[in-house]
Amino acid sequence: MAFVKLGLSLLLLVLIHGVIFLSDPVLCDDEDDTLFQGINSYRQSLNLPEFTENDNAGCLADEIADQLEDLPCDNASDYSFAPGTTPKFSNFNKLLHSCHINVNNTVDGVLMPVCVPKLDPTLVLSNYTNSQYAKYLNDSSYTGAGIASEDDWIVVILSTNTSTGNFSGVASLVPNIMVNYMVALLFSLLLVFLS
Ligand SMILES: *[C@@H]1O[C@H](CO)[C@@H](O)[C@H](O)[C@H]1NC(C)=O
Ligand SMILES: *[C@@H]1O[C@H](CO)[C@@H](O)[C@H](O)[C@H]1NC(C)=O
Ligand SMILES: *[C@@H]1O[C@H](CO)[C@@H](O)[C@H](O)[C@H]1NC(C)=O
Ligand SMILES: *[C@@H]1O[C@H](CO)[C@@H](O)[C@H](O)[C@H]1NC(C)=O
Ligand SMILES: *[C@@H]1O[C@H](CO)[C@@H](O)[C@H](O)[C@H]1NC(C)=O
Ligand SMILES: *[C@@H]1O[C@H](CO)[C@@H](O)[C@H](O)[C@H]1NC(C)=O
């Protein structure tokens, strides 16, 4: 009997674990994918390696798109930032925190928002390739990208593969997974003892 109960609680553990991972937001939709492909074709035309997907940058892009969503479409580039400029978002640290990003790993990143009615794909791509943003796409120090959109806004974040721009959060991400795991483990042990 005890064996069966242990088996059941292990099953529960696996389920809880699955739910924790499934609950991670899935950060992609059509506009984002289309722009990602368009930007990578542009990179190829410049003989530069394609951007790889940076999930943390994608998470932050999603948070920023949420902030911009209700703003008027004018002056989208006012909200951009590049190395040497400060983000315009007063809650920037909070946004980093919700994506488990260490601020020290963002200083070389570039954030490029664009606002186009209905996110017309051709206009969106040319807003990146024919503007002051183009020089960042034509820069081999950027190796990764994260893209997210809300409403008429789309946000591209470029990352490097160095510690000053990879948007990693080594310090906070690992303990969070461990805590989730420990809670699940304790919960199922409790069930074994109660039954
Ligand atoms: C956009 O920029 C122009 C020129 O800098 C300024 O006059 C206008 O008020 C800005 N619009 C918004 C919504 O900030
Ligand atoms: C970022 O780097 C500074 C200077 O090296 C350090 O004092 C600070 O603790 C670091 N911040 C984080 C969140 O790791
Ligand atoms: C960017 O998009 C706007 C539409 O919102 C368009 O009027 C403008 O021409 C585009 N800019 C570039 C450089 O493609
Ligand atoms: C891209 O950068 C290279 C070298 O920095 C330069 O020669 C080239 O003209 C740039 N291409 C475009 C389209 O800006
Ligand atoms: C970083 O990217 C550059 C350019 O793609 C590559 O040459 C380099 O080997 C990469 N470094 C690491 C640590 O991945
Ligand atoms: C990002 O930088 C951190 C700090 O240097 C490093 O520990 C981590 O492995 C890097 N991650 C990637 C994907 O390059």
Side-chain angles (χ1 to χ4, degrees):
M1 253 346 245
F3 189 70
V4 171
K5 279 169 191 159
L6 182 64
L8 279 178
S9 48
L10 279 179
L11 182 67
L12 195 68
L13 174 77
V14 169
L15 285 178
I16 293 172
H17 208 198
V19 167
I20 288 166
F21 278 93
L22 283 178
S23 65
D24 281 346
V26 178
L27 305 169
C28 59
D29 53 43
D30 288 351
E31 288 92 354
D32 308 353
D33 288 345
T34 305
L35 180 58
F36 212 108
Q37 285 161 19
I39 283 179
N40 270 338
S41 305
Y42 184 69
R43 288 277 285 190
Q44 277 183 332
S45 75
L46 298 168
N47 283 319
L48 291 173
E50 294 190 4
F51 291 123
T52 56
E53 214 160 320
N54 182 315
D55 288 340
N56 280 7
C59 174
L60 184 62
D62 197 46
E63 296 285 339
I64 302 270
D66 281 340
Q67 303 289 304
L68 295 170
E69 186 177 3
D70 296 323
L71 296 177
C73 236
D74 318 314
N75 307 346
S77 62
D78 283 359
Y79 301 98
S80 65
F81 63 84
T85 65
T86 321
K88 304 284 183 306
F89 306 92
S90 53
N91 59 349
F92 190 64
N93 281 332
K94 203 176 138 222
L95 304 181
L96 290 178
H97 190 76
S98 28
C99 292
H100 308 291
I101 297 169
N102 183 330
V103 66
N104 289 348
N105 298 333
T106 68
V107 289
D108 283 341
V110 188
L111 177 132
M112 305 183 292
V114 149
C115 191
V116 172
K118 308 248 183 299
L119 288 179
D120 175 273
T122 313
L123 275 182
V124 167
L125 184 59
S126 82
N127 261 284
Y128 284 97
T129 56
N130 295 318
S131 68
Q132 80 265 34
Y133 292 155
K135 69 166 187 266
Y136 299 109
L137 302 180
N138 185 16
D139 184 337
S140 61
S141 42
Y142 298 105
T143 58
I147 301 183
S149 53
E150 286 295 340
D151 216 14
D152 291 343
W153 287 87
I154 194 158
V155 175
V156 174
I157 293 181
L158 297 183
S159 59
T160 66
N161 61 2
T162 60
S163 62
T164 49
N166 74 8
F167 287 77
S168 88
V170 255
S172 63
L173 188 60
V174 174
N176 266 350
I177 288 174
M178 287 306 288
V179 167
N180 285 341
Y181 200 86
M182 290 307 288
V183 168
L185 188 64
L186 284 176
F187 188 59
S188 33
L189 283 178
L190 190 71
L191 285 184
V192 172
F193 285 120
L194 287 181
S195 54

